[in-house]
PDB file of all heavy atoms in Angstrom:
ATOM      1  N   PRO A 359     125.979 209.293  81.245  1.00  0.00           N
ATOM      2  CA  PRO A 359     124.946 210.330  81.140  1.00  0.00           C
ATOM      3  C   PRO A 359     123.792 210.055  82.094  1.00  0.00           C
ATOM      4  O   PRO A 359     123.494 208.902  82.416  1.00  0.00           O
ATOM      5  CB  PRO A 359     124.495 210.231  79.679  1.00  0.00           C
ATOM      6  CG  PRO A 359     124.798 208.822  79.284  1.00  0.00           C
ATOM      7  CD  PRO A 359     126.061 208.468  80.026  1.00  0.00           C
ATOM      8  N   GLU A 360     123.148 211.102  82.511  1.00  0.00           N
ATOM      9  CA  GLU A 360     122.024 210.985  83.448  1.00  0.00           C
ATOM     10  C   GLU A 360     120.915 210.103  82.892  1.00  0.00           C
ATOM     11  O   GLU A 360     120.166 209.471  83.667  1.00  0.00           O
ATOM     12  CB  GLU A 360     121.520 212.388  83.784  1.00  0.00           C
ATOM     13  CG  GLU A 360     120.350 212.448  84.736  1.00  0.00           C
ATOM     14  CD  GLU A 360     119.032 212.381  83.995  1.00  0.00           C
ATOM     15  OE1 GLU A 360     118.939 212.961  82.903  1.00  0.00           O
ATOM     16  OE2 GLU A 360     118.108 211.736  84.512  1.00  0.00           O
ATOM     17  N   ALA A 361     120.789 210.013  81.587  1.00  0.00           N
ATOM     18  CA  ALA A 361     119.754 209.173  80.979  1.00  0.00           C
ATOM     19  C   ALA A 361     119.881 207.707  81.387  1.00  0.00           C
ATOM     20  O   ALA A 361     118.885 206.978  81.430  1.00  0.00           O
ATOM     21  CB  ALA A 361     119.806 209.291  79.453  1.00  0.00           C
ATOM     22  N   LEU A 362     121.094 207.261  81.707  1.00  0.00           N
ATOM     23  CA  LEU A 362     121.268 205.904  82.212  1.00  0.00           C
ATOM     24  C   LEU A 362     120.421 205.683  83.463  1.00  0.00           C
ATOM     25  O   LEU A 362     119.821 204.620  83.652  1.00  0.00           O
ATOM     26  CB  LEU A 362     122.741 205.648  82.556  1.00  0.00           C
ATOM     27  CG  LEU A 362     123.673 205.191  81.446  1.00  0.00           C
ATOM     28  CD1 LEU A 362     125.117 205.227  81.935  1.00  0.00           C
ATOM     29  CD2 LEU A 362     123.309 203.790  80.978  1.00  0.00           C
ATOM     30  N   GLY A 363     120.397 206.683  84.320  1.00  0.00           N
ATOM     31  CA  GLY A 363     119.625 206.575  85.549  1.00  0.00           C
ATOM     32  C   GLY A 363     118.134 206.685  85.314  1.00  0.00           C
ATOM     33  O   GLY A 363     117.337 206.099  86.043  1.00  0.00           O
ATOM     34  N   ASP A 364     117.739 207.445  84.308  1.00  0.00           N
ATOM     35  CA  ASP A 364     116.314 207.580  83.998  1.00  0.00           C
ATOM     36  C   ASP A 364     115.685 206.248  83.641  1.00  0.00           C
ATOM     37  O   ASP A 364     114.526 205.992  83.974  1.00  0.00           O
ATOM     38  CB  ASP A 364     116.122 208.543  82.824  1.00  0.00           C
ATOM     39  CG  ASP A 364     116.069 210.000  83.268  1.00  0.00           C
ATOM     40  OD1 ASP A 364     115.957 210.243  84.479  1.00  0.00           O
ATOM     41  OD2 ASP A 364     116.132 210.873  82.394  1.00  0.00           O
ATOM     42  N   TYR A 365     116.444 205.409  82.942  1.00  0.00           N
ATOM     43  CA  TYR A 365     115.823 204.254  82.323  1.00  0.00           C
ATOM     44  C   TYR A 365     116.360 202.891  82.722  1.00  0.00           C
ATOM     45  O   TYR A 365     115.608 201.925  82.759  1.00  0.00           O
ATOM     46  CB  TYR A 365     115.959 204.371  80.796  1.00  0.00           C
ATOM     47  CG  TYR A 365     115.394 205.639  80.240  1.00  0.00           C
ATOM     48  CD1 TYR A 365     116.214 206.572  79.620  1.00  0.00           C
ATOM     49  CD2 TYR A 365     114.044 205.924  80.354  1.00  0.00           C
ATOM     50  CE1 TYR A 365     115.696 207.753  79.117  1.00  0.00           C
ATOM     51  CE2 TYR A 365     113.518 207.103  79.856  1.00  0.00           C
ATOM     52  CZ  TYR A 365     114.346 208.016  79.234  1.00  0.00           C
ATOM     53  OH  TYR A 365     113.829 209.176  78.754  1.00  0.00           O
ATOM     54  N   PHE A 366     117.647 202.767  83.009  1.00  0.00           N
ATOM     55  CA  PHE A 366     118.226 201.448  82.845  1.00  0.00           C
ATOM     56  C   PHE A 366     119.164 200.964  83.941  1.00  0.00           C
ATOM     57  O   PHE A 366     119.185 199.776  84.258  1.00  0.00           O
ATOM     58  CB  PHE A 366     118.987 201.431  81.502  1.00  0.00           C
ATOM     59  CG  PHE A 366     119.258 200.062  80.973  1.00  0.00           C
ATOM     60  CD1 PHE A 366     118.255 199.311  80.393  1.00  0.00           C
ATOM     61  CD2 PHE A 366     120.526 199.528  81.049  1.00  0.00           C
ATOM     62  CE1 PHE A 366     118.502 198.036  79.901  1.00  0.00           C
ATOM     63  CE2 PHE A 366     120.801 198.256  80.562  1.00  0.00           C
ATOM     64  CZ  PHE A 366     119.778 197.510  79.984  1.00  0.00           C
ATOM     65  N   ALA A 367     119.957 201.841  84.528  1.00  0.00           N
ATOM     66  CA  ALA A 367     121.069 201.403  85.374  1.00  0.00           C
ATOM     67  C   ALA A 367     120.601 200.639  86.616  1.00  0.00           C
ATOM     68  O   ALA A 367     121.218 199.662  87.022  1.00  0.00           O
ATOM     69  CB  ALA A 367     121.934 202.592  85.787  1.00  0.00           C
ATOM     70  N   GLY A 368     119.513 201.110  87.246  1.00  0.00           N
ATOM     71  CA  GLY A 368     119.012 200.425  88.433  1.00  0.00           C
ATOM     72  C   GLY A 368     118.681 201.338  89.597  1.00  0.00           C
ATOM     73  O   GLY A 368     117.639 201.175  90.237  1.00  0.00           O
ATOM     74  N   PRO A 369     119.550 202.297  89.973  1.00  0.00           N
ATOM     75  CA  PRO A 369     119.172 203.260  91.004  1.00  0.00           C
ATOM     76  C   PRO A 369     117.914 204.030  90.611  1.00  0.00           C
ATOM     77  O   PRO A 369     117.640 204.220  89.424  1.00  0.00           O
ATOM     78  CB  PRO A 369     120.396 204.191  91.079  1.00  0.00           C
ATOM     79  CG  PRO A 369     121.540 203.312  90.677  1.00  0.00           C
ATOM     80  CD  PRO A 369     120.975 202.434  89.588  1.00  0.00           C
ATOM     81  N   ASN A 370     117.158 204.472  91.612  1.00  0.00           N
ATOM     82  CA  ASN A 370     115.847 205.061  91.333  1.00  0.00           C
ATOM     83  C   ASN A 370     115.945 206.431  90.694  1.00  0.00           C
ATOM     84  O   ASN A 370     116.868 207.197  90.981  1.00  0.00           O
ATOM     85  CB  ASN A 370     115.028 205.146  92.627  1.00  0.00           C
ATOM     86  CG  ASN A 370     113.547 205.028  92.359  1.00  0.00           C
ATOM     87  OD1 ASN A 370     112.911 205.963  91.910  1.00  0.00           O
ATOM     88  ND2 ASN A 370     113.006 203.856  92.621  1.00  0.00           N
ATOM     89  N   HIS A 371     114.968 206.752  89.860  1.00  0.00           N
ATOM     90  CA  HIS A 371     114.973 208.072  89.221  1.00  0.00           C
ATOM     91  C   HIS A 371     113.935 209.024  89.828  1.00  0.00           C
ATOM     92  O   HIS A 371     113.806 210.154  89.368  1.00  0.00           O
ATOM     93  CB  HIS A 371     114.807 207.964  87.699  1.00  0.00           C
ATOM     94  CG  HIS A 371     113.394 207.780  87.221  1.00  0.00           C
ATOM     95  ND1 HIS A 371     113.097 207.438  85.927  1.00  0.00           N
ATOM     96  CD2 HIS A 371     112.198 207.875  87.820  1.00  0.00           C
ATOM     97  CE1 HIS A 371     111.785 207.343  85.768  1.00  0.00           C
ATOM     98  NE2 HIS A 371     111.223 207.614  86.914  1.00  0.00           N
TER      99      HIS A 371
END
Side-chain angles (χ1 to χ4, degrees):
E360 180 271 323
L362 274 170
D364 275 348
Y365 304 116
F366 199 75
N370 210 283
H371 81 191

